[in-house]
């Protein structure tokens, strides 16, 4: 615990307004008690932040903690450790665990077990009981217990009637439905994006229209019900355009993009020699899709940046490409990839990027954005957007190590977080 702290010479950034100012922050007992210039240090610990920025703590609204049931991949503790290294003070975790998060006891257990950790854990509960796609979960009860959204992620809601009723309930519980957009009948047992690369490699394809057709259905249902639809891990140019058009028509839709979907293309599968670390779901798409995702984040069509952090144990990935499970870890590389591909290329300003990692995820989930002001609980991230570094195996804090980004250049580092009276610092 580090209840008393004085952060000196940092630049405080308000990601909502883009305004910044150089100041010191004094924290006592986990609360911000003073913000000003050249604060006199008493008995608290001093953290030098010269050349670094300070913002409200970041949030990844799409992670898989694998707990309960698959603790050999990740646990709440190790997942939060990875999140803290990546600069996140909060995560929202998906319910495709074993057993699924579909009852209030499971929601309460996740929240309770994370209480002492420096990262807030917000459970996302199942849309359907057991993620079976047949009967709605007890959404009102789950929301009252602490569920921040509902999703059967990993098992797209195929039943249109069920999806309609779920969206109708969002108007009652005030929580979004997060759907994995995929019509499974259009790309059964696919391994990678449908295109020239999949044809060359002889791999079963996953077409873009399997995502887009499901998205079209859900956008119409959202318009019909006036419910809140949130689109998970948007991966195609057409999906981005459809969301942009839906927003212009006043449909209540929000959307997220994963860091790997604006960083890599399907060519990486061939260039890497079928490296299983390039297998993810939705799959890596074309350069045109990547450019559309970046443009969607730039103009606000895509509201949030997330990771879809999906850990798998080494023995599960030590197989051929077809047999390997989908997914990569992403918490530790999120900011470095954002800096490399969006900030350094001037697609987003630093404030805009932080907004999509801090403000919009919480707004979508109905959570308060941490305040950097006297009297508020200290919940903040210390970072820069200019440090050039290379991601190495030693930077992995997740229990699993499945990532294609080892050896990749990054721009920008998260140096520390402070939350719940705890300071977590990171070494170069």
């Amino acid at each position: 615990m580090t209840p008393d702290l004085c952060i000196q010479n940092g630049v405080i950034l308000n990601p909502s307004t883009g305004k910044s100012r150089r100041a010191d922050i004094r924290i006592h007992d986990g609360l911000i008690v003073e913000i000003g210039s050249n604060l006199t240090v008493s008995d608290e610990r001093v953290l030098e932040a010269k050349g670094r920025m300070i913002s409200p703590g970041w949030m990844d609204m799409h992670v898989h903690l694998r707990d309960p049931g698959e603790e050999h991949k990740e646990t709440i503790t190790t997942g939060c450790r990875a999140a803290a290294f990546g600069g996140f003070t909060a995560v929202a975790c998906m319910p495709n665990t074993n057993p699924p998060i579909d009852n209030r006891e499971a929601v309460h257990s996740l929240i309770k077990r994370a209480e002492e950790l420096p990262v807030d854990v917000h459970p996302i509960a199942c849309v359907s009981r057991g993620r079976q796609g047949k009967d709605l979960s007890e959404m009102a009860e789950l929301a009252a217990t602490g569920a921040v959204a509902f999703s059967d992620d990993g098992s797209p809601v195929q039943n249109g009637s069920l999806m309609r009723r779920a969206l109708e309930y969002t108007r009652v519980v005030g929580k979004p439905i997060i759907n994995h957009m995929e019509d499974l009948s259009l790309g059964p047992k696919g391994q990678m994006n449908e295109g020239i690369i999949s044809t060359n490699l002889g791999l079963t394809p996953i077409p873009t229209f399997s995502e887009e057709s499901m998205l079209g259905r859900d956008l119409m249902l959202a318009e019909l019900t006036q419910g809140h639809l949130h689109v998970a891990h948007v991966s195609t140019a057409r999906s981005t355009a459809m969301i942009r058009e839906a927003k212009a028509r006043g449909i209540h839709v929000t959307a997220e993009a994963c860091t790997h979907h604006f960083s890599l293309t399907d060519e990486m599968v061939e260039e890497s020699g079928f490296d299983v670390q390039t297998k993810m779901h939705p799959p890596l798409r074309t350069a045109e899709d990547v450019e559309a995702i970046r443009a969607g984040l730039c103009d606000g069509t895509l509201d949030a940046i997330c990771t879809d952090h999906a850990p798998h144990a080494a023995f599960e990935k030590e197989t051929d490409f077809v047999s390997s499970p989908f997914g990569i870890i992403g918490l530790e590389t999120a900011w470095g990839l954002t800096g490399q591909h969006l900030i350094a290329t001037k697609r987003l300003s630093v404030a805009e990027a932080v907004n999509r990692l801090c403000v919009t995820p919480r707004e979508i989930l109905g959570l308060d954005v941490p305040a950097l002001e006297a009297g508020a609980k200290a919940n903040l991230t210390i970072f820069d957007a200019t440090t050039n570094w290379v991601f190495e195996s030693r930077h992995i804090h997740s229990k699993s190590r499945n990532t294609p980004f080892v050896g990749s250049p990054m721009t920008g580092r998260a140096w520390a977080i402070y939350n719940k009276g705890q300071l977590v610092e990171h070494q170069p």
Side-chain angles (χ1 to χ4, degrees):
M1 297 290 287
T2 314
D4 299 339
L5 181 70
C6 186
I7 306 172
Q8 294 186 328
N9 302 311
V11 174
I12 300 175
L13 174 68
N14 184 329
S16 296
T17 65
K19 295 182 178 180
S20 61
R21 60 172 174 140
R22 187 177 302 279
D24 301 341
I25 301 176
R26 191 190 309 280
I27 299 169
H28 280 187
D29 294 326
L31 295 177
I32 298 174
V33 296
E34 189 177 8
I35 298 177
S37 300
N38 302 314
L39 297 183
T40 302
V41 178
S42 54
D43 295 330
E44 62 264 309
R45 178 178 172 181
V46 174
L47 179 62
E48 177 58 53
K50 186 176 181 180
R52 296 172 184 174
M53 306 184 82
I54 305 166
S55 75
W58 303 344
M59 179 177 192
D60 188 342
M61 66 176 294
H62 191 147
V63 305
H64 298 268
L65 294 181
R66 307 301 194 197
D67 191 346
E70 294 183 307
E71 290 87 352
H72 65 286
K73 301 173 187 272
E74 195 79 284
T75 66
I76 293 176
T77 299
T78 61
C80 287
R81 183 176 67 200
F85 177 84
F88 296 99
T89 64
V91 297
C93 57
M94 286 294 176
N96 57 332
T97 52
N98 186 21
I101 309 301
D102 66 351
N103 60 79
R104 64 181 181 182
E105 288 77 15
V107 170
H108 177 75
S109 175
L110 279 171
I111 296 172
K112 189 70 176 176
R113 287 188 289 142
E115 281 182 344
E116 301 303 317
L117 299 175
V119 175
D120 301 318
V121 174
H122 299 282
I124 296 170
C126 297
V127 172
S128 65
R129 294 178 182 175
R131 294 176 57 246
Q132 295 300 305
K134 297 178 180 178
D135 302 303
L136 282 181
S137 63
E138 298 293 338
M139 292 174 61
E141 182 179 85
L142 291 165
T145 307
V148 294
F150 299 92
S151 179
D152 282 354
D153 190 48
S155 298
V157 180
Q158 300 290 310
N159 186 310
S161 178
L162 183 74
M163 189 64 177
R164 174 181 177 173
R165 287 186 285 122
L167 285 167
E168 288 171 340
Y169 261 97
T170 67
R171 299 181 62 189
V172 177
V173 299
K175 307 294 180 184
I177 302 299
I178 304 175
N179 200 14
H180 175 128
M181 297 300 177
E182 184 178 16
D183 184 336
L184 297 176
S185 68
L186 294 174
K189 299 181 180 180
Q191 303 300 323
M192 68 169 295
N193 180 58
E194 181 177 73
I196 295 174
I197 306 298
S198 65
T199 301
N200 290 342
L201 298 180
L203 291 172
T204 305
I206 302 174
T208 58
F209 59 81
S210 64
E211 174 178 314
E212 295 149 3
S213 62
M214 179 71 83
L215 174 60
R217 182 204 72 174
D218 283 358
L219 288 173
M220 288 188 286
L221 288 174
E223 186 172 32
L224 174 69
T225 62
Q226 298 181 35
H228 183 181
L229 172 68
H230 181 77
V231 186
H233 40 50
V234 177
S235 72
T236 81
R238 183 178 293 177
S239 291
T240 305
M242 291 168 68
I243 294 165
R244 184 178 290 114
E245 180 186 1
K247 286 188 171 187
R249 298 210 322 265
I251 297 175
H252 192 182
V253 56
T254 52
E256 67 190 35
C258 296
T259 49
H260 49 270
H261 283 135
F262 63 69
S263 301
L264 299 174
T265 71
D266 58 355
E267 293 179 358
M268 184 67 176
V269 179
E270 185 173 34
E271 292 171 357
S272 67
F274 294 91
D275 185 354
V276 295
Q277 310 301 356
T278 63
K279 184 180 179 182
M280 52 208 73
H281 203 192
L284 298 175
R285 303 289 192 183
T286 67
E288 179 186 1
D289 295 309
V290 168
E291 178 57 29
I293 297 297
R294 293 174 181 176
L297 285 166
C298 181
D299 68 16
T301 298
L302 306 180
D303 303 88
I305 294 172
C306 67
T307 67
D308 194 8
H309 177 82
H312 293 290
F315 73 87
E316 295 169 314
K317 281 285 190 178
E318 290 172 351
T319 183
D320 61 275
F321 194 90
V322 173
S323 303
S324 175
F326 292 101
I328 64 171
I329 59 173
L331 287 163
E332 297 98 330
T333 55
W335 181 245
L337 292 172
T338 298
Q340 180 84 354
H341 297 286
L342 298 178
I343 300 174
T345 58
K346 301 189 183 304
R347 301 306 297 263
L348 293 177
S349 68
V350 175
E352 289 169 335
V354 172
N355 184 278
R356 285 152 180 74
L357 283 163
C358 169
V359 178
T360 53
R362 290 184 171 93
E363 290 178 340
I364 291 166
L365 299 176
L367 300 170
D368 293 333
V369 178
L372 289 184
E373 59 186 30
K377 291 182 179 179
N379 181 334
L380 54 86
T381 299
I382 302 174
F383 66 100
D384 72 54
T386 56
T387 297
N388 293 310
W389 58 293
V390 175
F391 183 71
E392 301 174 1
S393 294
R394 65 187 178 92
H395 297 130
I396 297 175
H397 290 65
S398 168
K399 192 171 186 178
S400 294
R401 310 182 72 79
N402 52 307
T403 173
F405 290 112
V406 172
S408 297
M410 302 279 162
T411 302
R413 291 289 298 265
W415 293 104
I417 66 164
Y418 187 99
N419 189 33
K420 299 189 211 174
Q422 300 177 65
L423 172 69
V424 181
E425 293 184 83
H426 315 307
Q427 299 302 316

